[in-house]
Amino acid sequence: MLTMLRYAYDVADPRSLEEAKKLKEPEKSELELAMKIIADLSGEFDITQYKDQYREKVEALIQKKLKGEKIVVEKPVKEEAKEPNDGTA
């Protein structure tokens, strides 16, 4: 399962969204499933400890471009594929 990491500035208060106010109340089974998923994925985590390095790099490139600097694109370094260590092999 893939989970997308969201930074604090990406998250909106759902009470501020008009679309959310129009939705019907979820069924009991849907709420139970949601609570189970949340419990399974929950743990100690502080999003403020992480920086969005991709966004920072893109913004730095934009600033360079605005200043008229030449942007040099570097070729990515190829990494060798690693064998998964998930205990299934």
Side-chain angles (χ1 to χ4, degrees):
M1 179 204 267
L2 178 66
T3 302
M4 178 76 153
L5 176 64
R6 301 285 181 189
Y7 293 89
Y9 56 79
D10 287 331
V11 181
D13 182 350
R15 294 172 293 204
S16 69
L17 303 173
E18 289 299 319
E19 295 85 10
K21 294 176 185 175
K22 298 174 187 174
L23 296 174
K24 68 175 187 158
E25 289 293 318
E27 301 290 329
K28 182 180 177 186
S29 61
E30 293 171 320
L31 285 175
E32 289 171 353
L33 178 58
M35 296 301 287
K36 181 178 181 344
I37 292 170
I38 291 169
D40 290 347
L41 296 176
S42 294
E44 292 297 318
F45 181 76
D46 182 8
I47 189 66
T48 61
Q49 294 179 347
Y50 298 87
K51 291 178 12 176
D52 187 350
Q53 295 174 343
Y54 175 80
R55 183 182 184 121
E56 288 174 358
K57 289 178 182 180
V58 169
E59 288 175 352
L61 287 172
I62 291 169
Q63 290 303 316
K64 281 185 173 183
K65 188 75 171 174
L66 288 172
K67 292 177 185 175
E69 296 179 30
K70 184 176 180 181
I71 306 297
V72 179
V73 178
E74 298 176 12
K75 289 187 178 183
V77 178
K78 279 191 174 183
E79 294 184 19
E80 288 191 32
K82 296 178 182 175
E83 291 294 319
N85 189 9
D86 61 4
T88 59

